[in-house]
Amino acid sequence: MISILPNSLMSVVTMLMVRLYLLKNQQILKIKVILGYYPCKTFAPSTYFIIKSRFLTAEQMHSYLKDIRQRSQLATIIIIGKDINYEELFKNHYRVFGVIDTSDKFSLRDIRKQINDCLDAIYSAN
């Protein structure tokens, strides 16, 4: 399962990029993609894309990260956004798989390439 949160325009764009990747790799029927956060304790590894925007405060993002880690130690977390506090992520041991920083260049092509690279690393063995 791939969950993209919170709901925003960038979340919709990210969901489209993920679905295109899954379609290209013929995994569209195997992996469920949802927009939003529906917490459930699962033993199956899940992937979470957290979109850091001006509508998502640092406290809310850390709340999501803490909740995800409490529910699943196998979850893969990827953060997309700008003004990300790397020191806070490291200090709290959130074990984030990847960070796609959009501060310098906000090119959708670059973001799509980085998302595809992350998904290749996660789902290449499957």
Side-chain angles (χ1 to χ4, degrees):
M1 178 182 78
I2 298 176
S3 180
I4 302 168
L5 57 125
N7 294 337
S8 68
L9 180 61
M10 188 62 191
S11 299
V12 173
V13 171
T14 303
M15 185 174 75
L16 291 173
M17 290 179 188
V18 169
R19 286 189 183 217
L20 285 172
Y21 171 85
L22 294 175
L23 185 65
K24 178 183 160 195
N25 292 320
Q26 300 173 351
Q27 295 182 348
I28 193 79
L29 299 176
K30 296 177 187 176
I31 301 171
K32 183 178 179 181
V33 180
I34 59 172
L35 187 62
Y37 181 57
Y38 304 101
C40 62
K41 190 164 188 155
T42 180
F43 296 105
S46 300
T47 303
Y48 295 91
F49 283 90
I50 299 177
I51 310 300
K52 174 79 170 72
S53 65
R54 60 183 164 177
F55 302 112
L56 180 70
T57 64
E59 292 82 21
Q60 290 170 329
M61 185 178 78
H62 291 295
S63 173
Y64 279 133
L65 290 168
K66 186 176 179 183
D67 192 46
I68 290 168
R69 278 294 164 229
Q70 285 177 347
R71 294 177 189 278
S72 174
Q73 293 297 318
L74 299 176
T76 304
I77 302 170
I78 301 166
I79 300 173
I80 300 173
K82 54 180 135 180
D83 301 326
I84 297 169
N85 188 348
Y86 295 99
E87 184 178 316
E88 191 72 24
L89 293 175
F90 182 73
K91 185 174 77 174
N92 289 317
H93 305 288
Y94 287 128
R95 293 180 319 202
V96 175
F97 180 76
V99 175
I100 300 172
D101 196 357
T102 61
S103 295
D104 298 332
K105 295 180 182 176
F106 189 73
S107 167
L108 289 178
R109 181 179 297 179
D110 293 338
I111 293 172
R112 181 177 179 193
K113 183 184 178 324
Q114 290 181 16
I115 288 173
N116 288 346
D117 290 344
C118 289
L119 292 173
D120 278 339
I122 295 168
Y123 295 110
S124 65
N126 293 341

